[in-house]
Amino acid sequence: MELNKILPLIVNDNVLHSKWLNTLSLMENTGARKISASEDPQTVTYIILKHAAEEHRHAFYLKKQIEKTKGDCPTYAPEFLLAPTYSKYYLNQLDVLVSRYLKQELNLSGKELRFAAYLLVTYAIEVRADELYPIYQDELDKSNSKVNVKSIILEEEGHLEEMINQLKSFSPQWEQHAQKAVELEAELFNSWVSALAAELMPSMAS
Ligand SMILES: [Fe+2]
Ligand SMILES: [Fe+2]
């Protein structure tokens, strides 16, 4: 994965590292706000509340880690982010594509569509988080960085399990739908990594 080439550059440069943390914080915050927005005010469950709270905590925790890089990224304005356009586009676009798929395949609308999109989008993101954060933590360890994301890794593992449980009760064909969401996510993630590469290693961008 190209990310393996990009991460050492990021972790060993305080300015890039602070922007990377801020970018992850933005993405966690976008995810948290999406979960909160999809909540049904009456039927929201313990698991959904827990999940939203933890994603909000991840956004805050990553923002706090920026202190350790001595960086300064006070807001999510583009100048404090890496690949700002793609970083903002990634989750919103995944939501659009998954919702379109659910409308076409399962004919869902309204509340049902919102809940199903929450399940599939969040599942795909949890699969990604379970891959991305451990790779990042390895790089942090190699560079003896003071930054660490171990508490996030632990919670993301729990989230994936919780999403699978919720998906199982959503549909007997959950695996087929989840696979589609993962495919849609992979395309968007690869574009995001390419955008990062183009920004950080312009000479190597194709
Ligand atoms: Fe998270
Ligand atoms: Fe999560």
Side-chain angles (χ1 to χ4, degrees):
M1 189 207 280
E2 250 182 333
L3 203 59
N4 288 322
K5 286 187 227 154
I6 298 171
L7 276 173
L9 297 177
I10 291 174
V11 170
N12 292 297
D13 180 310
N14 276 341
V15 173
L16 292 180
H17 200 184
S18 62
K19 287 186 183 181
W20 165 258
L21 284 163
N22 201 39
T23 304
L24 291 180
S25 172
L26 162 91
M27 291 164 108
E28 290 282 1
N29 183 246
T30 309
R33 287 189 297 118
K34 276 198 178 296
I35 295 174
S36 297
S38 73
E39 280 168 15
D40 182 279
Q42 192 164 318
T43 57
V44 64
T45 60
Y46 171 92
I47 286 292
I48 297 173
L49 290 174
K50 172 175 169 288
H51 198 161
E54 288 176 355
E55 300 303 1
H56 279 293
R57 189 191 79 83
H58 296 170
F60 165 72
Y61 179 85
L62 290 161
K63 193 83 169 178
K64 195 162 165 52
Q65 295 295 298
I66 294 172
E67 290 165 15
K68 296 180 182 171
T69 67
K70 302 194 172 56
D72 188 22
C73 298
T75 69
Y76 295 139
E79 62 266 35
F80 304 123
L81 297 168
L82 296 179
T85 309
Y86 273 91
S87 301
K88 288 180 180 170
Y89 175 79
Y90 163 79
L91 232 161
N92 290 326
Q93 188 60 12
L94 182 58
D95 210 10
V96 168
L97 295 177
V98 166
S99 298
R100 190 179 297 161
Y101 166 79
L102 285 167
K103 265 186 226 164
Q104 282 167 357
E105 285 296 309
L106 301 179
N107 230 343
L108 296 182
S109 61
K111 259 187 200 180
E112 281 181 342
L113 175 64
R114 259 201 308 283
F115 182 65
Y118 151 74
L119 290 178
L120 290 185
V121 167
T122 312
Y123 172 82
I125 290 168
E126 295 305 341
V127 170
R128 179 63 62 194
D130 279 6
E131 187 184 323
L132 176 77
Y133 281 113
I135 294 174
Y136 176 36
Q137 183 61 53
D138 275 354
E139 205 51 57
L140 292 170
D141 291 341
K142 271 189 220 156
S143 309
N144 291 317
S145 175
K146 285 181 190 146
V147 173
N148 96 75
V149 292
K150 288 176 190 166
S151 69
I152 297 183
I153 292 175
L154 212 65
E155 286 179 349
E156 300 295 15
E157 283 168 1
H159 293 169
L160 186 59
E161 226 170 283
E162 289 160 11
M163 292 321 295
I164 292 171
N165 289 336
Q166 290 186 89
L167 277 162
K168 278 181 182 162
S169 49
F170 163 71
S171 162
Q173 280 88 40
W174 74 271
E175 278 172 300
Q176 177 194 325
H177 303 312
Q179 187 48 39
K180 182 69 193 174
V182 166
E183 281 167 26
L184 293 169
E185 189 280 340
E187 266 185 53
L188 291 166
F189 180 77
N190 291 337
S191 306
W192 178 68
V193 174
S194 298
L196 286 175
E199 193 172 303
L200 302 183
M201 310 185 291
S203 58
M204 287 177 73
S206 47

